[in-house]
Amino acid sequence: MPKLVYILNGPNLNLLGKRQPDIYGSETLDDVEGDCAALAAELGVETRFLQSNTEGQIIDWIHQAREDGAGIVINPAAYTHTSVAILDALNAFDGPVIEVHISNVHKREGFRHHSYVSLRADGVIAGCGTEGYRLALRRIVSLLD
Ligand code: DQA
């Protein structure tokens, strides 16, 4: 059985490719999902790619990953900067966690410089565009090997 890696996406990322393309680029979330699935096949893992605009749904998926997930790649979007609840859920997950941001949050408004999720993440990738997801997936797999 291949190991399962969750790739979780927070609010507004369903609009990827349409919202603020100057910041987030023109690729859609479906494109990112396809890229991750292709890379996962190459790396010999399975991915479950999910997006929600709701904090509780993301927390429920992290709980599900406790049951069947080997690792988590997460772009918590705006919840990065606000959600102690997502941090707590990730703290209850034992496998590797990599946090991804498409934009370089450190080059942006001050409120984006703090991440609750970084208190748990084993690595953080920011400002590498949507390629950051593939970098994160590679890192998760090397941590799992
Ligand atoms: C983001 C950065 C966050 O600050 C923002 O709220 C997002 C996307 C990124 O991928 O660059 O929605 O996580």
Side-chain angles (χ1 to χ4, degrees):
M1 265 284 265
K3 289 178 178 157
L4 176 63
V5 178
Y6 278 69
I7 304 178
L8 301 178
N9 294 281
N12 300 304
L13 287 168
N14 53 310
L15 297 180
L16 196 65
K18 292 179 205 134
R19 77 156 171 160
Q20 298 179 279
D22 47 318
I23 296 176
Y24 298 113
S26 56
E27 262 202 304
T28 66
L29 203 61
D30 281 349
D31 295 332
V32 178
E33 179 172 5
D35 290 346
C36 287
L39 179 61
E42 221 177 274
L43 298 174
V45 295
E46 206 178 293
T47 48
R48 187 167 291 161
F49 194 98
L50 301 162
Q51 188 276 332
S52 177
N53 293 324
T54 306
E55 190 174 20
Q57 175 63 82
I58 295 165
I59 291 164
D60 287 344
W61 285 331
I62 296 168
H63 293 176
Q64 181 61 43
R66 282 166 50 82
E67 308 300 319
D68 60 5
I72 298 177
V73 171
I74 184 165
N75 182 349
Y79 289 141
T80 308
H81 319 296
T82 63
S83 182
V84 175
I86 289 177
L87 170 63
D88 285 351
L90 289 170
N91 277 332
F93 175 76
D94 287 335
V97 174
I98 304 291
E99 176 182 349
V100 174
H101 300 287
I102 297 164
S103 65
N104 181 358
V105 282
H106 300 289
K107 234 174 138 180
R108 300 181 64 193
E109 304 96 320
F111 65 84
R112 294 185 204 275
H113 298 179
H114 178 261
S115 165
Y116 285 102
V117 169
S118 292
L119 292 166
R120 165 62 179 88
D122 299 294
V124 182
I125 296 167
C128 296
T130 52
E131 189 185 344
Y133 284 84
R134 278 166 286 160
L135 298 171
L137 187 54
R138 283 189 189 279
R139 180 63 182 159
I140 287 277
V141 171
S142 74
L143 290 171
L144 288 173
D145 281 346

